[in-house]
Amino acid sequence: MKNLLSLGGLSSLPRSLSLAPIVLALAVAFVPAAAQAQPMLRTAPDWTRSLVTVEITFNAHDAFQPWNNPTVSTRKHGLVVAPGDVLTTAQYLPTHTLVRLQKGGRGRWYDARVKWWDAQTNLALLTTEAPDFWSGLKPAELMTTVPAGPEFNLVRWREGNLESRRADFSRFIVSEGALGFAPQMIMEVSTDIGGRLGWAEIVERDGRVAGLTTYGTSRLCGAMPASFIRRVLTAYRAGGFAGLGHFDFTWQPGSNPGLVTDLGLSGAPRGAVVNKPGKAKGEAGLQAGDILLEIGGFAIDSEGDYLDPDYGHLQLENLATRAHFSGEKLPMKILRADKEMTLDYVIPEANFEKETVPREVFYAPPAYVVAGGLIFQPLSQAFLRGWGDDWRKNAPFRLQYYQYAEPPDGRKSLVVLSGVLPDDINLGYQDALMLVVDKVNGQTVATLTDLTGALAAPKDGVHRFEFMKGRGLQRLILDAATLDAATKRVVEHYGIPAATRL
Amino acid sequence: MQNSKGVLAGTDNLGRRFVRVVLSGLPMALLLGGIGSAALRAEAFVAERAVVQILTSSQVPVYDAPWRFQPVQRSSGTGFVIEGGRILTNAHVIAWAKQILVRRYQDPRLLPARLVFAGHDCDLALLELIDPTELAEVKPLEFGELPEVRSTVVTAGYPAGGDQMSFTRGVVSRIEVQPYAHPGNRALLAVQTDAAINPGNSGGPVIQDDKVVGVAFQGMPGLQNAGFFIPPEVIQHFLDDIKDGRYDGFPMAGVTFYDLQNSAYRRLLGLPDDGRGARVDALRANGPAERVLKPDDVLLEANGYVVGSDGLVLYKGNRVTVAVVFQELQAGQVLRLKVWRDGGPLEVDLPLEAYDGDRLNGRQYDEPPRYFIHGGLVFTSLSANYLDSASDGGRGGVRDELAQLAFELHHLPVESPAAARTEPVVLSSVLPHPVNADFGVRGQALVNRINGVRITCLEDVKRALLEHKGERHRFEFWGPKYGPLDALDRAAATAANADILRTYGIVSSERL
């Protein structure tokens, strides 16, 4: 914004600070001894009959030209889990344009259909109508409970051959899903198989699947445990899958005896301290300063962990998804103002659309509005990732910070002026970039629909755009009488398929 | 000393946007190519006796351990004798100096000097020798006018690559308002030249027709043959400012102008498309401009300078942002503005004021950071200097808590002036001791409330802790409403103070 002149200390921009993602703290699992004592059975399962290859062609998000639909293809693994069902991770599937399956690591590709995908679980079911595909294949068995190692095998297709290599159990952790933000328990294993991992390779033992990988480096990868997958698939098939939930409050360990005593706890420190309540109010709502003593019947220790009967000490976040889906009640025993009490916490749905700056916007083609050459888009993390792998460092700090602090007026979403396609109508505004819209023609704008609605009501022959108070440009004006003609001209001139996609 | 990498004045204190180009290792002939013309010899002859080398030993505080200082750094720059027997140089040459020594031309002695005035906003400083008679025989350099673009200038100084005085020659490339790297949040008039300006040149005179037309001060990464010097207008402003024995600094009106080139916008405001006038886009809360200007006022003239729709004025033959007109005046003087408001012209007087409300926002010098330590908890001011040290200059990316600090420091005062704190306080670290071993927040956290008191400055921290009568201190971090909670036993913390200070070798529990 080189022409923004400042005489009052308003123009000096701070260094662009990049933000780290909110990652749930990790809890190392200490697994009961009984689970470790299982005998190792060496068999030679024929994974060629269950593990298949999935090819996905999908639309990538072009942050700066959202009308573009660049397509990218990638391959990963799928696992036959039932007749007609190939299970894989949901990664890359949300914007798929073509999905194909291949068995045996070579030969014919079969057109496939996505039966179901879910971002928060990071799971998807594929199928194909081609009977040939299914001949010779058989469903794999998913473990009911995943033992804590010590040894597994990591199995994948590589250049037409099945490759299997030992994978050592590392730990169980609780983390956000690879695609969503609902908490999940993840099994980390280390292996020397090489190459990048996380393409839904299987982790198996004794012919049974322990997990599907969701992320990894060449030596360490995380796998979604089969026990979790089984529970989700069972619910889905029974028509009872309501989506994963999450805890919408934030908490801290109750490990400072001074603090928990001050909050009314007697005896040794236990429980986690709520420091920011969630959205629920009243009887079901938590308050800052509450001490979480039990969740779903599990005692919470002063580190914020509970003792899982199958997987040892895990972070309390896992209780949001361990045995419940969103919308279900989860009893919580808390200490508030020196008194123990129980409340029924209703697990909120983990849903990108409820975020002020949604992490993903892949449920529909990227939305935008081009008006007189000004390009407007919803502010999302998907948009911010347009700055590349180093987006946390390079994307405009102020736009990123909306992820951490909601707008003071409480609006539920934001629209950003992401660029200007030069035209006579917008002359003088070429440098007006990356500004969050406050109002258009006096109407508050939280969505592109708000924006198009406001553009129907110009005043004094002009459209008045006002931006959020801050260090950037505060407002600009476009001629109302010529706006539609200018938009048409811009769209044709710059080869944009349509001026608006909501 | 000049040959040792990283100790040259001008290399240590420069900001992110402007970093001096280091050419150490290049042959001298290449650095000084072009020297030798008769004209150059004549100009240099006049200048060289007044040009001095300044050798500084400086100590910069550790902002996240504010009672400590970094190791002593030695650096060198240039200065020159002006009227009154004083030496003018860059503020960044002497910033944080513990000792200043001056070496005169062809004099082996090192002469102790002291700082008289520093204008960190304009990167200028005035020194005097402890024994001023040492300069009695030196003819001071006189100042000339703003040089013309394309005219030739000569620099004199002690840059890297050798021990003796070095001269370079170049043309004036352009004249504009440029960000000054030393303060980090100020932009003033500056002249660009292709004369080589290297580390160690800082503070040296730029000469034309035997007169000083600038003080060499900064370079720009990525540009070749581009050095910058401070023009006479800024130098004279500094010298005039200190005449009353105090440095006020350049006035800051608190107004942001934007181009007014869009015909619809001009029509709305009732202005013809005649290329005149810049629009008031934003006004700083409680700034002097806010009292006389309104958003969407259009500035047509400033002290007689006609303002273009690009926000520039014709200033001594150069198209420069209108800021330059505001900067000509001293704090306390009045600027006459012709503005367009409500469809007609209007003349208003804008009294200008010095402004340091954004001092924490820019880089600070010479005043060590304020702090208060209690129970091993180290509280200090949130500042750009602090953020730089806490985030390693932002190189490694920034974590959540630092993002919040950056927002609080740089954005909140502009976006919500009423919610901004005078001096945001950060818990920079916790000095481990049994009394605070269970304290969960270990540093880099904005202090929101202590014992229910909203913290707006370090004095609030001290009061909230020392006046509290309860059994424990309760801390609330981050904010504005919620954030991590913590507690500290009151009596134990007080009792541990002396032990903690002794253990960590801290002389005083506060610098307030």
Side-chain angles (χ1 to χ4, degrees), chain B residues 342-353:
Chain B
D342 300 331
L346 179 72
E347 294 215 339
V348 295
D349 288 335
L350 173 58
L352 294 175
E353 297 172 3

Side-chain angles (χ1 to χ4, degrees), chain A residues 141-369:
Chain A
E141 183 187 350
L142 301 175
M143 288 182 182
T144 311
T145 303
V146 177
E151 282 183 24
F152 295 93
N153 295 305
L154 194 132
V155 183
R156 68 178 176 190
W157 287 108
R158 194 177 200 186
E159 295 174 0
N161 294 305
L162 200 66
E163 188 175 27
S164 175
R165 192 72 62 92
R166 174 175 153 165
D168 293 316
F169 174 81
S170 177
R171 58 180 181 166
F172 290 120
I173 60 167
V174 179
S175 175
E176 293 182 343
L179 195 55
F181 60 90
Q184 286 186 13
M185 189 188 76
I186 295 289
M187 174 176 66
E188 276 192 352
V189 295
S190 60
T191 175
D192 60 359
I193 196 167
R196 283 188 62 195
L197 299 170
W199 304 95
E201 297 91 351
I202 57 166
V203 178
E204 68 90 26
R205 191 166 86 180
D206 304 336
R208 292 186 304 151
V209 176
L212 292 188
T213 70
T214 59
Y215 64 85
T217 60
S218 59
R219 297 192 63 82
L220 186 74
C221 67
M224 192 188 316
S227 50
F228 172 80
I229 298 170
R230 281 179 74 107
R231 195 169 69 80
V232 172
L233 288 184
T234 303
Y236 166 71
R237 287 174 177 144
F241 177 62
L244 292 188
H246 71 125
F247 291 151
D248 66 345
F249 54 86
T250 61
W251 56 272
Q252 63 185 71
S255 49
N256 182 349
L259 177 64
V260 290
T261 304
D262 217 36
L263 294 170
L265 189 74
S266 53
R270 61 199 165 99
V273 177
V274 174
N275 58 35
K276 184 182 178 187
K279 290 201 167 63
K281 306 286 181 230
E283 289 184 359
L286 291 163
Q287 297 176 6
D290 287 349
I291 300 180
L292 294 165
L293 298 173
E294 284 181 20
I295 298 177
F298 290 101
I300 306 300
D301 67 21
S302 63
E303 295 297 319
D305 294 344
Y306 74 99
L307 183 61
D308 192 284
D310 296 322
Y311 302 109
H313 288 286
L314 292 175
Q315 196 186 66
L316 67 84
E317 298 280 343
N318 196 47
L319 292 168
T321 55
R322 177 186 175 275
H324 297 274
F325 295 127
S326 70
E328 294 179 17
K329 283 183 181 171
L330 188 59
M332 291 187 177
K333 189 165 143 190
I334 64 167
L335 184 82
R336 178 183 296 168
D338 302 343
K339 286 184 189 158
E340 285 191 11
M341 54 188 285
T342 302
L343 54 82
D344 282 330
Y345 179 81
V346 180
I347 303 171
E349 183 187 6
N351 185 338
F352 297 120
E353 293 172 8
K354 291 182 177 171
E355 295 183 294
T356 307
V357 182
R359 273 167 261 206
E360 299 292 352
V361 289
F362 47 42
Y363 292 90
Y368 65 87
V369 168

Side-chain angles (χ1 to χ4, degrees), chain B residues 143-486:
Chain B
F143 291 101
E145 302 290 321
L146 183 68
E148 291 185 4
V149 173
R150 293 191 300 276
S151 65
T152 302
V153 292
V154 171
T155 75
Y158 290 88
D163 289 330
Q164 301 306 310
M165 191 184 300
S166 159
F167 302 92
T168 63
R169 185 174 61 170
V171 297
V172 172
S173 307
R174 54 183 162 188
I175 300 172
E176 286 182 71
V177 169
Q178 295 275 6
Y180 274 36
H182 179 63
N185 60 350
R186 289 287 185 277
L188 300 172
L189 196 66
V191 183
Q192 183 183 329
T193 176
D194 67 351
I197 294 179
N198 292 308
N201 267 121
S202 287
V206 179
I207 296 162
Q208 187 176 68
D209 298 334
D210 297 343
K211 291 188 174 170
V212 174
V213 294
V215 174
F217 80 123
Q218 66 186 21
M220 194 181 282
L223 291 189
Q224 294 189 340
N225 301 328
F228 293 84
F229 61 84
I230 301 169
E233 282 69 10
V234 175
I235 299 167
Q236 200 55 54
H237 192 284
F238 168 72
L239 295 174
D240 288 346
D241 190 324
I242 58 178
K243 278 179 180 166
D244 61 0
R246 190 183 72 173
Y247 183 67
D248 298 310
F250 279 73
M252 299 284 282
V255 54
T256 304
F257 295 105
Y258 200 81
D259 293 358
L260 187 55
Q261 295 183 322
N262 188 271
S263 54
Y265 216 144
R266 298 191 69 89
R267 211 161 45 243
L268 179 74
L269 299 176
L271 282 164
D273 263 337
D274 60 359
R276 284 188 63 187
R279 185 177 60 80
V280 173
D281 191 56
L283 294 157
R284 188 182 72 228
N286 305 315
E290 194 187 42
R291 296 191 276 274
V292 297
L293 294 175
K294 294 180 177 178
D296 274 355
D297 277 355
V298 178
L299 181 63
L300 300 173
E301 286 180 21
N303 263 11
Y305 288 92
V306 173
V307 181
S309 60
D310 54 1
L312 307 185
V313 297
L314 189 62
Y315 183 80
K316 302 186 180 179
N318 306 282
R319 298 251 340 136
V320 183
T321 77
V322 67
V324 75
V325 183
F326 287 62
Q327 292 163 0
E328 279 195 316
L329 274 61
Q330 297 284 346
Q333 291 183 314
V334 177
L335 188 66
R336 170 55 62 97
L337 303 178
K338 186 174 173 187
V339 299
W340 182 267
R341 179 185 298 169
D342 300 331
L346 179 72
E347 294 215 339
V348 295
D349 288 335
L350 173 58
L352 294 175
E353 297 172 3
Y355 176 63
D356 72 346
D358 61 348
R359 88 195 142 76
L360 294 171
N361 239 262
R363 294 191 177 80
Q364 300 173 83
Y365 301 96
D366 297 344
E367 284 185 31
R370 284 154 49 85
Y371 70 85
F372 180 70
I373 301 174
H374 189 77
L377 275 55
V378 182
F379 301 96
T380 190
S381 321
L382 173 61
S383 63
N385 299 55
Y386 171 80
L387 218 47
D388 273 355
S389 49
S391 67
D392 192 22
R395 282 187 289 277
V398 174
R399 302 176 295 282
D400 299 357
E401 58 269 30
L402 290 181
Q404 200 224 356
L405 295 179
F407 176 78
E408 185 85 18
L409 179 66
H410 294 300
H411 293 269
L412 191 67
V414 180
E415 295 183 15
S416 311
R421 302 164 204 255
T422 319
E423 180 193 36
V425 173
V426 64
L427 174 72
S428 76
S429 61
V430 177
L431 304 169
H433 184 273
V435 74
N436 59 40
D438 291 313
F439 203 82
V441 178
R442 303 308 286 185
Q444 299 189 348
L446 183 77
V447 183
N448 185 20
R449 279 186 285 260
I450 297 178
N451 296 323
V453 177
R454 184 170 185 265
I455 302 302
T456 61
C457 61
L458 276 165
E459 280 75 7
D460 288 346
V461 175
K462 184 176 178 181
R463 252 191 317 273
L465 289 171
L466 299 187
E467 293 178 3
H468 184 59
K469 304 293 181 212
E471 197 175 335
R472 276 172 289 274
H473 295 298
R474 175 77 72 84
F475 298 84
E476 296 168 65
F477 294 97
W478 297 14
K481 211 168 172 185
Y482 299 110
L485 308 171
D486 239 318

Side-chain angles (χ1 to χ4, degrees), chain A residues 415-426:
Chain A
V415 170
V416 62
L417 170 59
S418 64
V420 178
L421 296 162
D423 182 81
D424 287 352
I425 195 171
N426 59 45

Side-chain angles (χ1 to χ4, degrees), chain A residues 84-107:
Chain A
D85 275 356
V86 170
L87 174 81
T88 187
T89 51
Q91 288 153 286
Y92 306 107
L93 281 170
T95 58
H96 71 271
T97 55
L98 179 67
V99 180
R100 300 196 299 168
L101 295 170
Q102 183 192 55
K103 61 180 179 178
R106 60 189 68 227

